[in-house]
Amino acid sequence: MATDLLAELTAGAVADARERQESTPLAAVEAAALEAAPALDARAALAVPTVSVIAEVKRASPSRGSLAAIPDPAELAALYEQGGAAVVSVLTEQRRFKGSLDDLRAVKQRVSIPVLRKDFLVEPYQLFEARAAGADVVLLIVASLEQRALVELHELATQLGMTALVEAHSADEVSRAVDAGATVVGVNARDLTTFELDAGLFGRLAPGIPDGVVKVAESAVSTEADVAAYRAAGADAVLVGEALVTDGDPVSTLQRFLAV
């Protein structure tokens, strides 16, 4: 199990979820999840011949602090869709990333492409509330989960019609993701225990991801050259946050990235 910052973030996310559960019990969230409109097929959106982009609504991060105010996340998401993003990722973690489920709901109502709930998800309640809020995709971080829990949450996501983006940071975690049934595997260049970057990590781990599994390179994407390097290393998609929320023209940036 990972420690340090990842453990802190995960514990905070769980505490916040349990607080929400006191006012909205599991049964109510489960019912809302089952009544929600069917989830969109995010895997299909990402598995296209050219590189895809998961564009992130991200106000802040533990490594950089505040990035952008983003008073209207739905408007930003609409620009992402206009620019050609395949999926919109919405940070819903509130303590260090300044996000919320309300951001996710607003984005889902505005765009017609799949929406990812990006958070530290380790309990079934969090997956049910993600689906109830409209999420088509959920992030599962291998380092935060014992293997049995990873398998169970992946199965629950699938049962709810969602795609799981299963995130790995080592060869062993890639193997665990694949063993859990992941059809979309992300490799995050940012070590979530220390938040240090290793842009070469995807290239080293990608060969261990089987053909047919969508490969997503996460973090360390700020230029077309970064996208090209990830693409050359086998990435089907890149996840981009900071470069889009800070440059002032996300549509043009996305179009440049997608032209790689």
Side-chain angles (χ1 to χ4, degrees), residues 80-103:
Y80 288 166
E81 183 173 21
Q82 180 185 335
V87 173
V88 176
S89 170
V90 181
L91 259 303
T92 61
E93 196 277 341
Q94 64 191 50
R95 298 183 183 211
R96 303 292 288 273
F97 292 90
K98 301 181 182 178
S100 70
L101 280 164
D102 285 341
D103 289 345

Side-chain angles (χ1 to χ4, degrees), residues 59-126:
R59 292 191 179 91
S61 78
S63 60
R64 294 293 302 274
S66 183
L67 297 170
I70 311 181
D72 189 345
E75 176 62 24
L76 179 59
L79 292 174
Y80 288 166
E81 183 173 21
Q82 180 185 335
V87 173
V88 176
S89 170
V90 181
L91 259 303
T92 61
E93 196 277 341
Q94 64 191 50
R95 298 183 183 211
R96 303 292 288 273
F97 292 90
K98 301 181 182 178
S100 70
L101 280 164
D102 285 341
D103 289 345
L104 179 69
R105 294 184 189 99
V107 167
K108 180 62 180 177
Q109 290 173 6
R110 186 69 173 271
V111 301
S112 60
I113 55 177
V115 176
L116 160 68
R117 181 183 184 188
K118 186 92 172 287
D119 209 324
F120 300 87
L121 309 178
V122 294
E123 296 191 341
Y125 183 87
Q126 295 169 297

Side-chain angles (χ1 to χ4, degrees), residues 29-30 35 70 80 87 100 117 168 176 212-214 223 225 245 252:
V29 172
E30 187 172 347
E35 292 168 4
I70 311 181
Y80 288 166
V87 173
S100 70
R117 181 183 184 188
R176 289 181 55 201
V213 175
V214 174
T223 67
V245 300
S252 294

Side-chain angles (χ1 to χ4, degrees), residues 19 99 150 186 195 205 224:
E19 185 175 318
L150 175 61
F195 267 67
L205 298 186
E224 295 98 310

